[in-house]
């Protein structure tokens, strides 16, 4: 990728060092011909010179924090990082609806070469260290320097303040050591890299549709994957950052998406879903997630072919941008995820079963004479089948239920009569839907499922008003549907753990929707748990609804994924642990004698929850016995015993809570295992799959001491210590059907845990060398890595010629 033509600063050259890796050429090499080590030496030398200048300024009382002379070198890529920051520009990708020819002209006209630097019309340069002559030259070339001067003064002030604060530290004999300076500099560099990466991902999400992100580069040659792996290894064994790896990508954003890590690609998929709203992922999680709905609809601005609508929600920023090959239409941005034709094919070929993979339902008059509408399900009930159980001689029979396979003819007849067809697991037979869910699971970090709803036109509705126990993302794929969304009924039903009953029209009287809109193709609607909703197709079709039906996909997240679910795992274990303690018998001690004579609601007259009638009765009794000293003493005694009982209970409860805090990690492991059992098997991209055991012929299939390894995708495996064993759980063998296949964990000795941890926590773009694993025996290191690779968990890459000096069975 030509970063300067793209408007990017020269790539950062920092990365995590992987011990034992060998130098690999290609990929993310240093820009401008300088090696990473040379740049570090240059940077260190510049810092030392700067420190000497500061010290000399204190000796003669002068202040050299003003203007510094800047050389206008033609080798901008070989300058220090601080100089690179002065040349940073915005990252521009194709904007929806841009004109190819027009953008080519603007690209040619807006870029001018000056001493090896590249500028565009909308660039604002920092000019604190540029001479007057260069300023005049840049002005003559059309570079905006007026605004830069203003920022220049503020930047000078900021720099001056930083220098002064540093002088104070040095005068107080508290000057920063070289290690502290390096740590501070590395932290600043990491923040810059993270910020630049966020800008790249956001720009990609604005430039590509979800379909383009998901399905770009489905076919990739093995050589391309090898070059990508080499690009992830910098000089001297350094692991390149994502910014570095993107520098050699082509100008095509689809190509750049292929070179992203799976985590970054998942973020781009999610932000591309949000793109029409102008809401970033960070803003969504802060303002909407679990709080309120978000309508992501067609932008109001019409994108023209002249590319002048730069203020539109899709615009990636000011300045010239590279045009796509054709205008990107909003209604086509969710194409190829699922279609009616796909559903027809599934019904004809896949034997979908009622109640398990398909429902046929409608929201209509219940027929009981009340005129009340209810949800009516037309599924055929499961068949009861008797099977002989046990041995052949005992003659016992067992009954089981078998779901009936839906007859396509019956399904489409009901559909034509106004029924909604719901697919309970569309990703089971749709690779594209599975890819979407796999990406969203990586983004959300929890199980993501889906249902698809196909509804005929003409005011048809399949379900009654209700709320769900999921975070719902409604993706309108085909046709149009009118949605009404209502707030939760009360605070207790906000973020519910279970779905609601079906509400009737009478229940909804007096409740006004906060959203009442018609979704069209490309629109997305987000609804948190607990928000009531209902939807139906419009009475009349429009030009955008020529097919006469509506198809939407609902992606669901966060089901049974609350703090309550974690504490349900932790608290019982903590209680059991304290009860079985060898150091304390407090929870095993008996309850106080006759405690029921003073504990309970009938004695808790001071509580706000106590019934009002009980409070009045006690008050009346107190008035009649006011002069009875014995009764007053009895009441005080009861109160004293209640306080003592509550104090003892509080001590034991706090002991259990304290023990629970020590079990939080164990509880997270348990909920992590549940997640691995629930989730989708990862939908690997060609870049990822070519490095796994499914492609042994391409990657060798054999682990050597110098083989580079990493987890094939973040989060697909987890190391847990159980019963004196190191157990690795993973989801590679999962079925797309919920709990369709049991987990198949791998057991290792506890001594293998450190090596396993290194392998399972090394994710792209990083690699770890087998010989550098924490273990005493290199043969054992190879066998551990080989076991994970054979299971499909590890990706491997042979950077150098295999080291065959060590052999394993």
């Amino acid at each position: 990728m030509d970063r300067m033509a793209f408007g990017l600063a020269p790539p950062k050259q920092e990365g995590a060092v992987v011990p034992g890796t060998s130098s690999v050429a290609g990929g993310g090499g240093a820009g401008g011909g300088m090696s990473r080590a040379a740049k570090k030496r240059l940077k260190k030398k510049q810092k030392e010179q700067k420190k000497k200048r500061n010290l000399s300024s204190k000796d003669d009382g002068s202040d050299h924090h003003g203007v510094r002379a800047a050389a206008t070198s033609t080798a901008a890529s070989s300058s220090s990082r601080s100089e690179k920051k002065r040349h940073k520009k915005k990252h521009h990708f194709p904007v929806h609806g841009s004109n190819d020819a027009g953008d080519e002209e603007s690209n040619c006209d807006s870029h001018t070469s000056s001493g090896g630097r590249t500028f565009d019309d909308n660039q604002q340069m920092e000019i604190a260290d540029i001479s007057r002559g260069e300023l005049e030259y840049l002005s003559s070339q059309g570079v905006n320097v007026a605004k830069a001067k203003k920022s220049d003064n503020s930047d000078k002030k900021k720099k001056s303040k930083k220098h002064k604060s540093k002088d104070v530290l040095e005068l107080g004999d508290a000057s920063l050591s070289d290690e502290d300076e390096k740590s501070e500099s590395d932290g600043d560099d990491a923040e810059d890299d993270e910020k630049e990466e966020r800008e790249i991902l956001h720009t990609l999400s604005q430039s590509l549709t979800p379909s383009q992100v998901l399905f770009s580069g489905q076919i990739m040659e093995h050589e391309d994957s090898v070059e990508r792996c080499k690009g992830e290894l910098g000089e001297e064994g350094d692991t390149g950052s994502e910014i570095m790896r993107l520098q050699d990508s082509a100008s095509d954003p689809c190509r750049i998406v292929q070179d992203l890590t799976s985590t970054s690609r998942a973020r781009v998929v999610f932000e591309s879903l949000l793109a029409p709203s102008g809401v970033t992922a960070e803003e969504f999680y802060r303002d909407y997630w679990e709080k309120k709905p978000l309508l992501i609809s067609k932008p109001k601005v019409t994108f023209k072919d002249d590319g002048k609508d730069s203020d539109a929600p899709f615009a990636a920023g000011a300045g010239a941008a590279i045009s796509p090959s054709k205008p990107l239409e909003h209604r086509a941005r969710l194409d190829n995820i699922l279609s009616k034709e796909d559903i027809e094919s599934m019904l004809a070929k896949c034997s979908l079963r009622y109640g398990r993979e398909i429902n046929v339902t409608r929201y209509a008059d219940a027929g009981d004479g009340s005129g009340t509408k209810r949800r009516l399900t037309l599924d055929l009930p499961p068949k009861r089948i008797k099977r002989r159980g046990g041995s052949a001689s005992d003659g016992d029979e067992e009954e089981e239920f078998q779901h009936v396979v839906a007859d396509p003819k019956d399904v489409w007849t009901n559909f034509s009569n106004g029924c909604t067809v719901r697919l309970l697991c569309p990703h089971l037979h749709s690779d594209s839907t599975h890819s979407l869910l796999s990406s969203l699971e990586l983004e959300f970090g929890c199980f993501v499922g889906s249902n698809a709803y196909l509804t005929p036109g003409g005011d048809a509705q399949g379900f009654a008003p209700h709320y769900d126990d999921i975070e719902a993302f409604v993706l309108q794929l085909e046709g149009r549907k009118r949605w009404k969304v209502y707030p939760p009924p009360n605070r207790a039903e906000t973020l519910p753990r279970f779905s609601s009953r079906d509400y009737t029209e009478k229940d909804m009287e007096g409740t006004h929707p906060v959203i009442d809109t018609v979704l069209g193709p490309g629109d997305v609607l987000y609804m948190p748990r607990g928000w009531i909703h209902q939807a139906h197709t419009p009475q009349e079709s429009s030009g955008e609804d020529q097919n006469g039906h509506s198809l939407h996909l609902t992606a669901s997240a966060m089901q049974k994924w609350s703090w309550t679910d974690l504490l349900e795992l932790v608290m019982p274990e903590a209680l059991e642990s304290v009860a079985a303690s060898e150091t304390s018998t407090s929870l095993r001690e008996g309850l106080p004698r006759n405690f029921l004579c003073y504990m309970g609601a009938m004695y808790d007259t001071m509580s706000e929850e106590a019934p009002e009638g009980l409070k009045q009765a006690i008050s009346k009794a107190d008035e009649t016995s006011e002069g009875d000293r014995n009764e007053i003493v009895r009441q005080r005694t009861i109160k004293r015993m209640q306080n003592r009982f509550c104090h003892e209970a509080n001590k034991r409860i706090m002991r259990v809570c304290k023990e629970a805090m020590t079990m939080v990690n164990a509880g997270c492991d348990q909920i992590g295992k549940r997640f691995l059992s629930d989730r989708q098997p990862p939908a690997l991209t060609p870049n990822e799959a070519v490095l796994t055991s499914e492609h042994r012929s391409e990657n060798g299939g054999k682990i050597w001491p110098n083989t580079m390894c990493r987890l094939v995708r973040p989060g697909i495996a987890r190391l847990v210590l159980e019963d004196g064993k190191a157990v690795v759980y993973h989801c590679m063998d999962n079925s797309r059907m919920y709990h369709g296949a049991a987990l198949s964990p791998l057991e290792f000795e506890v001594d293998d845990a450190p090596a396993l941890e290194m392998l399972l926590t090394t994710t792209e773009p990083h690699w770890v060398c087998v010989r550098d694993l924490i273990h005493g025996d290199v043969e054992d290191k190879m066998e551990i890595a080989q076991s994970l690779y054979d299971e499909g968990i590890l990706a491997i890459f042979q950077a150098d010629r295999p080291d065959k000096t060590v052999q394993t069975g």
Side-chain angles (χ1 to χ4, degrees):
M1 177 179 72
D2 184 354
R3 297 179 61 85
M4 297 304 291
F6 236 1
L8 283 176
K12 306 288 190 299
Q13 298 296 330
E14 267 62 35
V17 176
V18 180
T21 59
S22 42
S23 176
V24 181
M34 291 187 67
S35 68
R36 183 187 302 273
K39 287 194 173 185
K40 288 183 177 180
R41 289 194 298 269
L42 175 61
K43 190 173 182 179
K44 185 176 180 181
K45 183 177 180 181
Q46 290 173 337
K47 287 183 178 179
E48 291 175 352
Q49 293 174 349
K50 182 179 178 181
K51 191 173 181 180
K52 289 179 181 179
R53 288 197 301 268
N54 290 336
L55 291 174
S56 63
S57 67
K58 299 184 193 76
D59 294 338
D60 59 15
S62 60
D63 184 4
H64 294 285
H65 301 317
V67 178
R68 297 170 304 191
T72 56
S73 170
T74 58
S77 60
S78 64
S79 62
S80 66
R81 180 177 296 274
S82 61
E83 291 177 355
K84 290 180 182 179
K85 290 179 182 177
R86 291 198 292 272
H87 305 316
K88 183 180 290 186
K89 296 187 288 183
K90 284 207 169 188
H91 191 156
H92 296 309
F93 287 105
V95 183
H96 295 272
S98 301
N99 181 278
D100 290 346
D103 283 340
E104 282 183 9
E105 272 187 277
S106 63
N107 282 337
C108 294
D109 294 338
S110 62
H111 289 78
T112 305
S113 176
S114 171
R117 301 177 183 175
T118 310
F119 307 110
D120 61 37
D121 292 339
N122 297 278
Q123 180 183 4
Q124 294 183 5
M125 286 199 55
E126 286 189 20
I127 56 173
D129 302 329
I130 299 179
S131 65
R132 182 182 300 274
E134 187 172 2
L135 279 177
E136 294 175 354
Y137 175 76
L138 294 176
S139 299
S140 67
Q141 297 300 319
V143 177
N144 186 358
V145 295
K147 294 183 179 180
K149 287 181 180 179
K150 186 175 181 180
S151 62
D152 166 40
N153 293 332
S154 60
D155 291 342
K156 280 185 180 180
K157 292 179 181 178
K158 292 179 181 178
K159 292 177 183 178
S160 178
K161 288 182 179 179
K162 291 181 180 179
H163 287 304
K164 287 180 180 178
S165 61
K166 187 173 180 181
D167 288 344
V168 173
L169 290 176
E170 290 174 343
L171 289 173
D173 294 330
S175 59
L176 296 175
S177 64
D178 291 342
E179 290 77 7
D180 293 335
E181 287 185 359
K182 181 178 184 301
S183 176
E184 183 180 347
S185 175
D186 290 345
D188 292 341
D189 294 343
E191 290 180 3
D192 291 339
D193 283 348
E194 184 178 352
K195 182 179 180 181
E196 184 176 356
E197 183 178 333
R198 285 199 304 267
E199 291 176 355
I200 293 176
L201 299 185
H202 180 68
T203 307
L204 281 171
S205 69
Q206 301 295 313
S207 309
L208 300 174
T209 67
S211 296
Q212 288 176 314
V213 180
L214 285 170
F215 313 126
S216 62
Q218 292 296 316
I219 301 176
M220 184 171 185
E221 298 295 334
H222 172 61
E223 290 76 7
D224 293 338
S225 181
V226 171
E227 290 303 319
R228 180 177 186 266
C229 294
K230 288 182 178 180
E232 291 170 344
L233 294 175
E235 296 186 25
E236 303 175 1
D238 288 355
T239 302
S241 68
E242 189 155 15
I243 301 297
M244 291 167 54
R245 290 194 300 104
L246 295 179
Q247 67 174 331
D248 289 334
S249 297
S251 298
D252 181 12
C254 293
R255 174 66 183 183
I256 296 176
V257 168
Q258 296 177 41
D259 289 336
L260 292 175
T261 64
S262 55
T263 304
S264 297
R265 190 165 52 251
R267 171 54 61 90
V268 174
V269 169
F270 182 56
E271 284 210 338
S272 66
L273 288 174
L274 302 175
S277 68
V279 176
T280 65
E282 289 80 7
E283 293 169 341
F284 175 82
Y285 292 130
R286 183 191 66 211
D287 301 332
Y288 296 93
W289 184 251
E290 295 189 321
K291 294 182 179 70
K292 59 185 178 182
L294 174 64
L295 175 62
I296 306 163
S297 186
K298 181 188 298 185
K300 296 180 180 179
V301 176
T302 302
F303 297 103
K304 301 176 183 179
D305 290 340
D306 57 9
K308 293 181 180 179
D309 291 325
S310 59
D311 294 332
F314 279 110
I322 302 173
S323 302
S325 58
K326 60 181 180 179
L328 299 174
E329 297 182 3
H330 175 84
R331 60 181 292 111
R333 72 190 199 99
L334 301 178
D335 283 357
N336 303 319
I337 293 178
L338 190 69
S339 66
K340 184 183 178 184
E341 289 73 18
D342 294 334
I343 296 176
E344 292 173 344
S345 177
M346 292 179 196
L347 274 167
K349 301 177 182 178
C350 300
S351 300
L352 304 185
R353 294 163 290 179
Y354 283 117
R356 185 168 175 83
E357 294 154 323
I358 189 172
N359 287 143
V360 178
T361 181
R362 67 183 303 177
Y363 181 59
D365 192 324
D368 55 3
S370 64
T372 303
K373 285 186 175 183
R374 301 188 185 278
R375 180 176 59 142
L376 307 176
T377 301
L378 282 67
D379 296 354
L380 295 179
K383 291 182 179 179
R384 183 175 296 178
I385 298 177
K386 293 184 177 181
R387 296 184 184 275
R388 185 175 299 277
S391 61
S393 58
D394 58 20
D396 293 338
E397 290 186 344
E398 295 180 353
E399 285 189 352
E400 68 177 29
F401 293 95
Q402 189 177 69
H403 294 277
V404 177
V405 175
D407 185 343
K409 187 180 295 184
D410 292 341
V411 171
W412 294 120
T413 298
N414 289 326
F415 176 77
S416 62
N417 291 332
C419 292
T420 292
V421 178
R422 175 171 71 167
L423 298 187
L424 301 175
C425 188
H427 48 279
L428 180 63
H429 306 291
S430 171
D431 292 340
S432 54
T433 306
H434 175 225
S435 296
L436 172 65
L437 301 187
S438 184
S439 293
L440 293 179
E441 279 189 343
L442 194 56
E443 170 67 21
F444 299 148
C446 66
F447 167 67
V448 178
S450 72
N451 290 336
Y453 300 80
L454 180 64
T455 305
D459 197 23
Q461 183 169 339
F463 293 84
H466 67 284
Y467 65 70
D468 295 311
D469 58 345
I470 57 168
E471 304 297 300
F473 293 85
V474 177
L475 281 63
Q476 188 69 27
L477 306 178
E478 295 177 359
R480 300 165 71 244
K481 206 165 196 179
R482 182 179 180 182
W483 284 81
K484 295 181 180 180
V485 182
Y486 309 83
N490 49 63
R491 186 68 177 174
E493 294 178 273
T494 300
L495 299 180
R497 300 187 65 221
F498 305 98
S499 297
S500 72
R501 62 178 176 85
D502 285 348
Y503 294 108
T504 64
E505 291 178 326
K506 186 176 181 180
D507 294 331
M508 301 306 297
E509 288 180 358
T511 304
H512 302 288
V514 295
I515 291 179
D516 186 351
T517 188
V518 176
L519 297 186
D523 292 344
V524 176
L525 174 63
Y526 162 72
M527 294 177 293
R529 312 192 292 281
W531 288 71
I532 301 172
H533 53 274
Q534 61 177 323
H536 64 88
T537 52
Q539 182 68 41
E540 298 179 358
S541 62
S542 67
E544 296 182 354
D545 189 22
Q546 298 175 355
N547 295 325
H549 68 266
S550 166
L551 173 62
H552 76 264
L553 180 78
T554 298
S556 58
M558 300 294 285
Q559 188 176 43
K560 292 183 173 61
W561 200 251
S562 67
W563 282 101
T564 302
D565 299 288
L566 176 61
L567 294 180
E568 280 182 344
L569 297 172
V570 173
M571 297 306 291
E573 293 289 336
L575 178 60
E576 184 177 343
S577 175
V578 175
S581 172
E582 296 180 357
T583 61
S584 173
T585 62
S586 61
L587 260 68
R588 300 196 295 272
E589 295 173 358
L591 292 166
R593 290 178 293 107
N594 296 320
F595 74 96
L596 293 179
C597 294
Y598 54 86
M599 294 302 298
M602 60 187 295
Y603 298 103
D604 191 15
T605 59
M606 303 303 293
S607 173
E608 295 181 358
E609 287 78 15
E612 189 62 31
L614 180 60
K615 290 181 181 180
Q616 294 176 1
I618 297 297
S619 176
K620 185 176 182 180
D622 290 342
E623 292 175 0
T624 58
S625 59
E626 184 175 356
D628 190 345
R629 183 175 180 80
N630 292 334
E631 180 63 22
I632 295 175
V633 172
R634 189 182 72 85
Q635 291 292 340
R636 290 177 179 175
T637 302
I638 288 177
K639 187 62 177 177
R640 186 166 54 252
M641 288 189 294
Q642 287 176 339
N643 291 339
R644 184 184 304 159
F645 185 93
C646 291
H647 176 70
E648 291 298 324
N650 181 70
K651 287 197 304 184
R652 287 159 175 81
I653 291 172
M654 294 307 297
R655 183 177 178 85
V656 174
C657 291
K658 185 177 180 180
E659 181 68 17
M661 287 304 300
T662 67
M663 295 184 167
V664 169
N665 280 328
C668 291
D669 281 336
Q670 293 302 312
I671 205 167
K673 286 167 52 180
R674 195 187 81 186
F675 174 36
L676 289 173
S677 174
D678 295 347
R679 70 179 301 180
Q680 305 292 328
L684 300 181
T685 65
N687 283 352
E688 295 169 322
V690 77
L691 305 174
T692 66
S693 55
E694 292 186 359
H695 294 263
R696 293 177 180 272
S697 58
E698 288 93 341
N699 56 50
K702 178 71 174 176
I703 302 294
W704 303 101
N706 62 339
T707 300
M708 310 302 295
C709 302
R710 70 178 175 209
L711 196 64
V712 67
R713 178 171 286 190
I716 64 165
R718 189 172 191 88
L719 173 64
V720 180
L721 300 180
E722 294 179 340
D723 302 325
K725 295 285 186 180
V727 185
V728 175
Y729 290 88
H730 66 90
C731 62
M732 289 301 297
D733 296 333
N734 281 14
S735 168
R736 296 187 190 181
M737 174 68 72
Y738 184 70
H739 289 176
L743 291 177
S744 53
L746 303 174
E747 286 191 357
F748 297 85
E749 297 299 325
V750 175
D751 294 343
D752 300 334
L756 290 167
E757 182 182 359
M758 289 186 70
L759 290 169
L760 298 182
T761 56
T762 302
T763 58
E764 58 182 342
H766 307 293
W767 295 91
V768 62
C769 187
V770 170
R771 67 162 61 95
D772 294 323
L773 298 177
I774 302 176
H775 208 289
D777 194 343
V778 67
E779 287 84 359
D780 288 344
K781 298 178 185 181
M782 295 167 62
E783 290 178 356
I784 292 170
Q786 189 73 53
S787 297
L788 298 183
Y789 169 78
D790 291 340
E791 198 72 9
I793 301 173
L794 279 192
I796 66 171
F797 170 58
Q798 199 65 48
D800 297 324
R801 185 185 302 275
D803 178 7
K804 298 184 179 182
T805 57
V806 181
Q807 300 282 341
T808 59

